[in-house]
Amino acid sequence: SLISNSSGPQFKIDFCSNLKWVNDEETFHHSTNLGPDGNIWQVAEIKPYSKYVKKYQIKDFSDFAIIKMNSDGKILYTKSVIEILIENKILPENYAYNAVYNNNNNPIHLNDIQRVFSDTEYWKKGDLFLSIRNQSAIIHYRPSTNKVINYLTGPFARQHDVDIISEKEISIFNNNNFFVDNQYSEVLIYNFETNKFKKLFNDQLQKENFKTFDNGLSHILNDGALMVEEQNHGRIILFNNKGQKEWEFVNKDNQGVVSYVKWS
């Protein structure tokens, strides 16, 4: 079966494309990921609004939330990211009101939820890593206690995609949309033991003139190979674990028109 969404309802179809269920309670979009218990973690914009957004009666505000639903499409848990940050004293209580004037009613823009499958020295099973683009931040969040364990900012801007790649490391797809030195997108590795960042195959990505202004993905395979998606230019590249380009796909029709690739 397949569970997916299209910036609207979440749905499930079987192997023969028969519709099994639809959930249209919220506006679902961006990443869909299975958790260690078989439940689904999904990005959504919620209405009615969460308590702080509702308190300030902000019209057309994008109230991004993390949602857990079971395999039958029933919502089990919903939490606004604005609530998470305010309750953990990372943002002031009036942030939602002030942010309207800075980010077009979209100060969070959650784009990825990565779940933790096992305990390590640096996280626990059931924890989540959240990528919030419009704060250029990665949140390590523990739903069981409503605690932000780590709030990471660094040499990345308007990032998409965070992945757990070892017992102490995560990868971050950096759109690299700073005011200066923003020519290329990057793949960063953050090590929780050393608290340091490093770039992966950066020379190769620059050689390929790899840049997507928004969206985009990276995935490190088990053997150390790297797949990157350059959404804005419709390209996917696979580098082997030595950094050599194995292949490239460009989403181009027979008239030479290039279209997006998205969430490959």
Side-chain angles (χ1 to χ4, degrees):
S1 60
L2 174 70
I3 297 171
S4 189
N5 64 79
S6 184
S7 295
Q10 190 91 343
F11 61 88
K12 180 178 181 178
I13 56 175
D14 66 16
F15 186 77
C16 298
S17 296
N18 298 307
L19 185 64
K20 306 303 290 184
W21 54 256
V22 173
N23 185 314
D24 59 0
E25 296 174 54
E26 309 289 358
T27 301
F28 302 99
H29 49 78
H30 283 84
S31 69
T32 302
N33 289 300
L34 288 174
D37 53 5
N39 291 317
I40 303 151
W41 287 96
Q42 180 62 55
V43 177
E45 291 179 62
I46 57 172
K47 287 185 178 178
Y49 288 139
S50 58
K51 60 183 178 182
Y52 295 107
V53 180
K54 187 184 299 182
K55 175 181 177 180
Y56 291 106
Q57 300 181 47
I58 303 169
K59 184 180 179 181
D60 299 327
F61 188 86
S62 293
D63 197 0
F64 278 82
I66 58 176
I67 285 184
K68 179 169 74 170
M69 61 174 62
N70 65 20
S71 58
D72 294 322
K74 180 182 178 181
I75 293 177
L76 306 175
Y77 169 88
T78 301
K79 186 67 176 177
S80 164
V81 179
I82 283 281
E83 283 189 359
I84 291 171
L85 297 181
I86 290 174
E87 290 165 358
N88 282 271
K89 302 187 185 309
I90 294 170
L91 299 179
E93 185 175 328
N94 67 351
Y95 177 80
Y97 176 80
N98 292 333
V100 172
Y101 304 103
N102 298 321
N103 275 301
N104 298 320
N105 291 13
N106 185 5
I108 297 298
H109 197 95
L110 173 68
N111 54 43
D112 193 18
I113 305 171
Q114 284 295 320
R115 58 278 178 260
V116 173
F117 280 84
S118 59
D119 293 349
T120 76
E121 185 178 346
Y122 302 100
W123 47 72
K124 293 183 178 180
K125 182 178 178 179
D127 287 359
L128 302 174
F129 282 90
L130 314 177
S131 171
I132 51 175
R133 185 193 72 180
N134 287 355
Q135 296 297 310
S136 293
I138 301 295
I139 304 173
H140 173 197
Y141 177 61
R142 186 160 293 157
S144 61
T145 60
N146 189 35
K147 295 297 182 184
V148 171
I149 310 302
N150 294 285
Y151 184 84
L152 300 176
T153 59
F156 54 89
R158 295 176 69 83
Q159 78 292 334
H160 270 74
D161 193 22
V162 55
D163 292 326
I164 301 165
I165 61 171
S166 76
E167 293 186 348
K168 58 185 178 182
E169 295 172 306
I170 60 173
S171 68
I172 301 167
F173 184 85
N174 178 22
N175 292 79
N176 203 26
N177 291 337
F178 291 102
F179 285 115
V180 295
D181 299 327
N182 61 3
Q183 188 174 358
Y184 306 103
S185 297
E186 300 172 339
V187 178
L188 300 178
I189 308 297
Y190 179 73
N191 187 308
F192 283 84
E193 182 178 46
T194 63
N195 296 318
K196 291 183 178 179
F197 291 90
K198 68 178 181 181
K199 298 178 182 180
L200 182 64
F201 296 162
N202 203 52
D203 290 342
Q204 293 90 328
L205 291 171
Q206 291 189 15
K207 181 181 177 182
E208 294 295 330
N209 195 30
F210 183 84
K211 173 66 176 179
T212 180
F213 180 81
D214 59 7
N215 289 283
L217 290 171
S218 61
H219 185 74
I220 300 172
L221 282 73
N222 291 337
D223 67 349
L226 172 70
M227 189 187 85
V228 287
E229 177 195 276
E230 187 184 31
Q231 179 195 283
N232 297 159
H233 301 115
R235 181 167 62 152
I236 303 170
I237 305 174
L238 179 73
F239 299 96
N240 65 23
N241 56 17
K242 297 182 176 62
Q244 301 163 331
K245 184 166 73 172
E246 292 279 349
W247 52 258
E248 155 181 303
F249 167 78
V250 178
N251 191 24
K252 184 187 298 185
D253 67 16
N254 57 12
Q255 302 298 315
V257 176
V258 176
S259 299
Y260 278 178
V261 286
K262 196 165 187 177
W263 293 97
S264 304

